[in-house]
């Protein structure tokens, strides 16, 4: 997580029917009052973190022994926000996976239908499924549970 990269923490407090509060802290030190001098290496540090995270993503979606994408396998991105899907798509492409090697779904129902239609006995086309957890209708938890049930029947 980015917060951990900066020596910070993330916490959540949640009460049923009342809502949730999320907290994030970052361990940044400042010695000057101007914005430019407060965080002189922040941009570079964020770039390093992004590069490291993209490398990790790339290792998952490629065959680790060669730098070629795993044969026939794809990545599925699931989010109800089109903007998030676009950001993830750009990150995946920059990790080296061509656009024709991943699919994007705008919601859990669409993803479930796609995986069911694309999966044949013994062969799910997706090596990685990146899903938002909080979506209307079928959230990421329900999607994962249903996909496991469907794939278990097909394998």
């Amino acid at each position: 997580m980015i917060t951990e990269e900066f020596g910070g923490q993330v916490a959540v407090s949640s009460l049923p029917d009342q809502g949730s509060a999320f907290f994030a802290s970052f361990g940044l030190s400042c010695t000057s009052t101007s914005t430019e001098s407060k965080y002189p290496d922040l941009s570079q540090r964020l770039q390093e973190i992004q590069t490291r995270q993209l490398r990790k993503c790339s290792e998952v979606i490629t065959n680790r022994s060669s730098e070629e994408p795993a044969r026939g396998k794809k990545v599925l991105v699931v989010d109800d926000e089109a903007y998030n899907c676009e950001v993830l798509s750009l990150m995946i492409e920059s990790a080296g996976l061509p656009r024709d090697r991943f699919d994007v779904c705008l919601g859990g129902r669409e993803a479930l239908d796609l995986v069911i239609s694309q999966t044949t006995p013994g062969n799910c086309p997706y090596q990685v499924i990146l899903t938002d957890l909080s979506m209307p209708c079928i959230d990421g938890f329900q999607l994962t549970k249903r996909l496991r049930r469907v794939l278990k029947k097909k394998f």
Side-chain angles (χ1 to χ4, degrees), residues 5-141:
E5 295 283 344
F6 282 103
Q9 298 177 339
V10 174
V12 63
S13 174
S14 184
L15 296 171
D17 300 320
Q18 292 186 9
S20 301
F22 298 88
F23 307 91
S25 67
F26 297 90
L28 301 173
S29 61
C30 302
T31 56
S32 174
T33 57
S34 75
T35 304
E36 292 84 19
S37 60
K38 274 186 181 180
Y39 313 108
D41 62 346
L42 181 60
S43 178
Q44 179 183 354
R45 182 78 171 122
L46 288 173
Q47 182 65 39
E48 290 169 2
I49 293 168
Q50 182 182 22
T51 301
R52 190 168 41 254
Q53 295 300 325
L54 287 172
R55 193 175 305 120
K56 286 179 185 178
C57 181
S58 182
E59 288 173 2
V60 170
I61 62 178
T62 60
N63 184 350
R64 290 187 176 114
S65 62
S66 65
E67 288 295 316
E68 296 297 317
R71 285 191 199 130
K73 295 297 181 179
K74 298 172 77 173
V75 173
L76 177 61
V77 174
V78 186
D79 199 307
D80 59 318
E81 294 289 335
Y83 176 80
N84 293 341
C85 289
E86 184 62 27
V87 169
L88 284 168
S89 295
L90 292 171
M91 291 177 73
I92 292 168
E93 284 180 297
S94 68
L97 195 69
R99 182 62 185 94
D100 65 337
R101 296 292 305 283
F102 64 92
D103 294 323
V104 176
C105 291
L106 289 171
R109 168 54 58 197
E110 182 182 340
L112 185 61
D113 292 343
L114 179 67
V115 172
I116 290 170
S117 70
Q118 298 285 323
T119 300
T120 58
N123 184 30
C124 177
Y126 299 103
Q127 182 177 12
V128 175
I129 299 175
L130 302 171
T131 182
D132 181 10
L133 296 179
S134 178
M135 297 182 288
C137 299
I138 299 178
D139 66 25
F141 294 110

